[in-house]
Amino acid sequence: MPRLHFPMALRWSDMDAYRHVNNVAFLRLLEDARVLAFHGHDSDDGGSMLDNGVLVVRHEIDYLAPLHWRPEPIRIDLWVTDIKGASFDMGYEVLDDSDGDGAPVVYARAESTLVVYDLTQGRPRRLTDGERARLERLRDAPVDLRRRRTQERGGR
């Protein structure tokens, strides 16, 4: 699979009054993984894709299990699920490598839509051929989100 895997430390301040990692902290973890991924994917002019402008326009997240703070890192898997003219979707799983029985524990699945952005002109721009090719190398299956399963069954 072309997924990227990033170990991520939890911060003590990620915990909320219910003693689990707060929903907002999950978005920070996804952002941290995305920044690491983009620094590994240069733009056509030699810099990071972030240098040229990449903006988040949508997040969708399913929380699957409570994540409690601990000193050991969790893992964020990240991949591209769709590529369009000026935007692309990224999929994520927030998980542990194993629950002790060999099966990973998945705490959340998420997807973000990002648009490449011309910072000088202040508007979206088209993906370059090089950016598209680099994103294509990270393409994998769509994220298994609850909403999609419900829609496939004909529900709301």
Side-chain angles (χ1 to χ4, degrees):
M1 279 192 212
R3 297 179 185 202
L4 300 174
H5 311 285
F6 297 102
M8 298 301 237
L10 299 174
R11 300 178 306 185
W12 183 258
S13 62
D14 290 341
M15 223 178 1
D16 64 15
Y18 299 116
R19 301 190 50 79
H20 68 271
V21 174
N22 186 273
N23 65 83
V24 174
F26 275 83
L27 292 176
R28 183 202 44 92
L29 292 165
L30 301 181
E31 178 185 48
D32 289 348
R34 220 174 28 252
V35 167
L36 291 171
F38 289 141
H39 278 297
H41 288 79
D42 295 337
S43 68
D44 289 343
D45 64 3
S48 161
M49 280 182 71
L50 295 175
D51 295 339
N52 292 334
V54 177
L55 302 179
V56 174
V57 296
R58 182 187 69 85
H59 286 302
E60 184 170 353
I61 187 165
D62 285 346
Y63 299 98
L64 305 172
L67 174 57
H68 298 279
W69 183 89
R70 77 293 183 83
E72 301 82 25
I74 50 100
R75 190 177 91 208
I76 308 286
D77 287 0
L78 176 144
W79 66 98
V80 173
T81 62
D82 194 23
I83 304 170
K84 296 188 171 114
S87 68
F88 57 98
D89 293 340
M90 303 222 60
Y92 316 84
E93 284 188 335
V94 179
L95 63 152
D96 275 329
D97 286 329
S98 172
D99 65 0
D101 294 329
V105 176
V106 180
Y107 298 102
R109 287 190 182 100
E111 189 171 68
S112 299
T113 300
L114 298 106
V115 64
V116 287
Y117 198 76
D118 183 324
L119 297 170
T120 305
Q121 298 292 319
R123 65 177 184 216
R125 63 173 177 81
R126 305 288 289 178
L127 283 161
T128 66
D129 291 339
E131 289 167 336
R132 182 177 297 281
R134 282 185 284 280
L135 291 170
E136 195 64 53
R137 287 193 292 272
L138 293 175
R139 190 190 286 255
D140 203 350
V143 180
D144 182 22
L145 294 169
R146 288 183 190 119
R147 175 185 53 84
R148 289 191 181 132
R149 287 191 304 249
T150 302
Q151 288 173 343
E152 288 169 3
R153 290 191 308 258
R156 295 181 127 215

